[in-house]
Each structure stands twice: as structure tokens, then as C-alpha cells.
Amino acid sequence: DDAPIAVPPTVILAEPPADPLPLILASLDGLDIPIFVLNPEAEMIAQNRSAEKTFGTLLSGLHVSTRWRSPGILDMIRETTQTRQPNQIEHSERHPSERVYIVRVAPIDAEKSAGASYFLLSFRDISELRRLDRMRSDFVANASHELRTPLASLRGFIETMQGPARDDAKAKDRFLTIMLDQANRMSRLVDDLLSLSRLELKAHVAPDQRVELAPILGHVRDSLAPLATELGVEIRLDLPEEKIEVMGERDELVEVFENLIENACKYGQDGK
């Protein structure tokens, strides 16, 4: 009766690892960038809400090549599934609208995903950044071009005042008025160059001022007079008696007419 009672050894049965995919998707749905879950064969297993909104609903089990035929994306995914090292490239799409993405693919840690092998394919939209970069580059190029014309006018008037109009007080007064206006315009262009954020805010804002065209055209004719004389052409205005007004910005309208008339002077025929 005093013999010890044999206790059978405790057997602990390990539960099979739970599928981590539902938890992964629940986390991804909270992100605002399109993300797809891929298996090692580069087949789409799932997508988050942002991916559905951006690219539409893609059927599970389809290979990524059925949606993206870009060799860069396919090669990147193939390399990551083989090496398990993250990769990313820049990718552009033109339909239904032109967009630029940073496309990244990365593996999910096998230990954290209970042994399952998944890869995340994400698309970060950088279209607006690229648009702003182009806007900055275009603005610098345009501002440099626009500064050349008033500088050339100033140089022409200064040379005239130093030469033929040296003793002509009336001409000097007229030239100085035009030169001051051109100098003020250059100052405004420089201010714009130093305030790109203001320009970006105005890029898609319609003008709300009424501007009379006749004084603008007269100013443009006077400012381009030295160039016209040098090229052997005459700028002659034929304006109606009534006032003509348009919605616009004065300096921008000066740019438009100055470019048009300057090109006509340069690329037209002399003696006209």
C-alpha cells in the first residue's frame, strides 16, 4: 500500500501555427498607401483597401505580371523572393492618369509570421513631389528667360542715353520712366523666384483683377524699341478707341505680349 503511485508523463501538444494573413490584412487596411500581399511565387494573395481604391479589385491567385508588365517591377520582385532582401524602384503609370510611384517589395519576417512566407508590395505615390520639382525647374528657366528682356531694354536705353540722346532732356525723361518700370518688373520677378511657395499656391488660381490692355501694349512697344531698331523693324500699334479690359495679372500679360512681339521682331523680316 505504501508503494509510490506512478504518474504518467505530461504530454503537451503544440498547436499548429495560426495563419497570420488575417492579422496582416487588418493592419494593412489602416494604411493609406496601396499594399499587396504576395506569396513566394509572386501571386497576389490579398490587397488592402487603399490598393482596391487605387488599382481596383485584383483577383487572388493571379501573378503580378497580369497587372504590371513593367520589367523593373517583375525583376525586383523576383530578386526579393529569391534573396529575401527588400528592393524598391521608381515606376510611372500613364493610365488612367499619369502617376509616379516608389514601388517597394519586402519579405515579412518568417518568425513573426509563424513560418509562413509572405511578401508586401507597396506603392507610394510621389506624383505631387515630381510635379513640384518640374514646376521649380520650369520656373527657374522661365524667370531666367524673362529677366533677359528687361535687362536688354535697360542696356539699350542706357546706351542710347550715353550716345544719340546724350543732350536730349525730353528723351532722357521718357527713357528713365521706361527703365524704372523695367527695373520694377525685374524686382517682382526676383521676388517670385525667392517665393516659390507663393507661386505654387497661385498656380491654379484664376486671376480676379481687370487689366486694361492698351497701356500694357504701349509699355511693351516702348520697352522693345531698342531691340526693334537694332533689328530694323517697327512696332506699330493699331488700337481701338474704346477701352479693352481682360481678367488677368499685369506682369503676366506683359510677359505674354513681350514674348510674342519680341519673337516677331527676331524671326520676322527686317524693314517691316
Side-chain angles (χ1 to χ4, degrees):
D1 293 341
D2 295 331
I5 299 175
V7 178
T10 301
V11 177
I12 300 176
L13 298 177
E15 295 184 2
D19 184 0
L21 188 57
L23 181 60
I24 293 173
L25 286 178
S27 301
L28 296 181
D29 275 340
L31 302 178
D32 61 353
I33 64 172
I35 298 179
F36 298 87
V37 181
L38 310 179
N39 64 16
E41 287 71 42
E43 296 170 338
M44 289 180 281
I45 303 302
Q47 62 188 120
N48 67 351
R49 291 194 183 96
S50 181
E52 291 181 4
K53 182 179 179 181
T54 304
F55 298 105
T57 302
L58 303 181
L59 296 178
S60 178
L62 291 179
H63 193 272
V64 290
S65 61
T66 60
R67 174 57 179 83
W68 293 281
R69 300 184 181 275
S70 164
I73 292 180
L74 298 179
D75 291 343
M76 176 188 68
I77 294 173
R78 187 180 303 110
E79 180 180 343
T80 295
T81 56
Q82 292 173 355
T83 65
R84 299 193 64 82
Q85 296 299 314
N87 278 301
Q88 68 178 35
I89 63 168
E90 185 172 309
H91 170 70
S92 299
E93 294 209 347
R94 299 189 178 279
H95 302 288
S97 62
E98 186 171 353
R99 310 300 298 175
V100 182
Y101 297 97
I102 295 295
V103 184
R104 186 176 190 272
V105 62
I108 297 176
D109 192 326
E111 294 181 1
K112 294 180 180 179
S113 60
S117 184
Y118 294 114
F119 298 83
L120 296 185
L121 178 67
S122 62
F123 291 76
R124 180 162 60 90
D125 193 338
I126 59 169
S127 305
E128 188 65 14
L129 293 176
R130 288 292 178 266
R131 186 186 71 82
L132 292 178
D133 286 343
R134 286 196 301 270
M135 182 181 292
R136 289 187 179 95
S137 298
D138 292 345
F139 178 74
V140 171
N142 290 336
S144 300
H145 172 74
E146 298 304 331
L147 284 170
R148 288 195 187 99
T149 298
L151 279 172
S153 293
L154 287 173
R155 189 181 301 112
F157 286 124
I158 291 171
E159 290 173 353
T160 302
M161 292 170 65
Q162 289 176 334
R166 180 185 299 273
D167 301 319
D168 190 339
K170 186 176 180 180
K172 280 186 177 182
D173 288 342
R174 178 167 167 268
F175 292 163
L176 285 171
T177 300
I178 299 172
M179 291 167 66
L180 179 61
D181 194 79
Q182 291 288 64
N184 288 335
R185 179 167 166 244
M186 282 194 294
S187 295
R188 289 191 292 269
L189 283 171
V190 171
D191 289 341
D192 282 346
L193 188 59
L194 297 175
S195 305
L196 285 175
S197 59
R198 181 164 60 89
L199 180 77
E200 289 163 3
L201 289 174
K202 291 172 55 181
H204 302 288
V205 178
D208 58 359
Q209 300 176 6
R210 299 194 68 82
V211 182
E212 189 179 354
L213 291 184
I216 289 178
L217 292 170
H219 165 73
V220 171
R221 175 198 56 197
D222 294 341
S223 64
L224 291 178
L227 175 66
T229 301
E230 180 182 339
L231 296 173
V233 298
E234 177 188 359
I235 303 175
R236 189 163 53 204
L237 298 184
D238 182 12
L239 302 175
E241 294 182 3
E242 64 272 13
K243 182 185 297 186
I244 297 179
E245 292 183 338
V246 297
M247 299 296 292
E249 294 285 345
R250 181 185 184 280
D251 285 350
E252 293 176 0
L253 288 167
V254 168
E255 279 185 31
V256 170
F257 291 117
E258 205 164 60
N259 285 335
L260 287 172
I261 298 175
E262 182 181 3
N263 286 338
C265 291
K266 287 181 177 179
Y267 306 112
Q269 298 178 350
D270 57 5
K272 300 292 183 180

